[in-house]
């Protein structure tokens, strides 16, 4: 009788065990509509203290502001031509927005969101990254967008909003990743499938590494283990590279229409979002088993065209920007990691 009861208990426990093993690494906890926002959405940044998310409405010519605490859209900042890169700097109470089609970097007051200043750059501003040590902002632009056979990383004094220098790179920067010291900047050049390493003190490229797949457009950096995570589009792969030597460590299949790569250090996971120009959207999640070994642990459905994403470790939330599709209005999909 004891053996029979044990068998029955195991049979009933199996489905629960299977469910636990197959639990998705990310759980959708909220959908926040973005009313009247049309077209492709691009990069995002977050005001952690104020719990606001800033979203580039690239084809809508706007920056959308979301109240994450209340879980609702609160306002739209219009007047852009192809807004893309966004950086919110709490210490300076400023919001920086780079727009590609007019080559402008606009600066807004962080609390009122009133326009403070504008800086004219070359065409194609896209990625922006801020260094709190030097209070410098780096902006990627140039390349084919500006009719040039090279790209540039503009150096902006974030206190004065002045353009104080440029760093020449092989092509238009698709991604900018800065180490914690602010001394090393990794520039992804999608057109040539390269990673270029910049010494920010010298303001020059000191190393160039070829990427095994083509069109490396997005990435993340785990400085503790010296690993770069690189998303490529042709073919869609998630590559792992040693950030000190440029050696490729791992090469895994990823989502079509890749447009966002982030590293979740607390859970040792990599999230790659995609769906840009696709009829479906997914987030591929990878587990870092150790510094040299990674495995795919989930393919979480999002929405068609939902390419870009943003991970906030402070808020323990992963945001996916979903454009309007059919009868569904644009929205921010809010995910939280499952342990």
């Amino acid at each position: 009788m004891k053996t029979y009861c044990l068998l029955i208990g195991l049979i009933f426990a199996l489905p629960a065990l299977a469910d636990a093993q197959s639990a998705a690494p990310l759980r959708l906890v909220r959908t926040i509509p973005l009313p009247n926002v049309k077209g492709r959405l691009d990069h995002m940044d977050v005001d952690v203290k104020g719990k606001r998310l800033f979203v580039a409405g690239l084809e809508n010519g706007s920056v959308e502001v979301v109240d994450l605490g209340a879980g609702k859209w609160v306002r739209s900042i219009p007047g852009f031509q192809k807004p893309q890169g966004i950086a919110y700097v709490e210490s300076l109470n400023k919001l920086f927005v780079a727009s590609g089609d007019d080559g402008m970097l606009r600066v807004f007051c962080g609390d009122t969101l009133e326009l403070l200043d504008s800086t004219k750059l070359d065409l194609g501003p896209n990625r922006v990254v801020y260094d709190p040590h030097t209070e410098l902002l780096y902006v990627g632009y140039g390349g084919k967008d500006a009719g040039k056979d090279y790209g540039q990383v503009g150096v902006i004094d974030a206190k004065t909003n002045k353009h104080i220098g440029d760093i020449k790179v092989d092509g238009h920067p698709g991604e900018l990743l800065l180490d914690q010291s602010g001394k090393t900047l990794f520039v992804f050049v999608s057109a040539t499938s390269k990673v270029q390493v910049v010494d920010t003190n010298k303001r020059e490229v000191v190393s160039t590494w070829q990427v095994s797949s083509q069109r490396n457009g997005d990435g993340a950096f785990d400085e503790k283990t010296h690993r770069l995570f690189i998303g490529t589009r042709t073919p869609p792969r998630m590559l792992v590279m040693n950030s000190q030597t440029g050696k490729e460590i791992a090469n895994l299949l990823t989502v079509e229409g890749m447009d966002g790569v982030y590293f979740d250090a607390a859970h040792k996971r990599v999230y790659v979002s995609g769906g840009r120009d696709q009829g479906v959207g997914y987030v591929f999640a990878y587990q870092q088993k150790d510094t040299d070994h990674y495995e795919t642990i989930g393919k979480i459905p999002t929405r068609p065209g939902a390419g870009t994403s943003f991970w906030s470790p402070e808020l323990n939330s992963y945001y996916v920007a979903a454009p309007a599709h059919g009868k569904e209005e644009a929205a921010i999909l809010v995910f939280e990691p499952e342990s």
Side-chain angles (χ1 to χ4, degrees), residues 292-314:
D292 292 344
H293 298 91
Y294 302 79
E295 66 177 3
T296 307
I297 59 169
K299 302 175 184 178
I300 301 96
T302 56
R303 286 190 185 178
T308 53
S309 57
F310 183 82
W311 163 248
S312 173
E314 298 88 353

Side-chain angles (χ1 to χ4, degrees), residues 182-293:
K183 296 177 181 178
T184 302
L185 179 69
F186 298 97
V187 181
F188 289 16
V189 182
S190 181
T192 58
S193 303
K194 293 177 181 177
V195 174
Q196 296 202 282
V197 186
V198 170
D199 182 323
T200 58
N201 290 326
K202 297 179 180 178
R203 294 186 184 173
E204 64 181 35
V205 174
V206 293
S207 296
T208 298
W209 302 324
Q210 193 69 43
V211 176
S212 62
S213 297
Q214 297 178 20
R215 299 182 62 207
N216 52 318
D218 296 83
F221 182 32
D222 177 14
E223 188 166 354
K224 185 177 180 180
T225 62
H226 309 294
R227 293 295 180 261
L228 288 172
F229 307 106
I230 303 170
T232 68
R233 297 190 177 100
T234 311
R237 309 296 295 181
M238 194 283 285
L239 311 179
V240 183
M241 178 182 284
N242 186 310
S243 65
Q244 296 176 311
T245 66
K247 179 183 177 182
E248 186 175 298
I249 303 298
N251 187 319
L252 294 89
L253 179 70
T254 200
V255 60
E256 293 275 0
M258 181 282 309
D259 213 13
V261 180
Y262 288 90
F263 180 64
D264 174 358
H267 297 89
K268 297 187 182 301
R269 292 175 188 161
V270 181
Y271 305 129
V272 180
S273 60
R276 179 175 161 187
D277 302 323
Q278 303 293 317
V280 294
Y282 290 97
V283 174
F284 277 40
Y286 308 87
Q287 189 69 49
Q288 185 184 60
K289 309 297 288 185
D290 57 48
T291 56
D292 292 344
H293 298 91

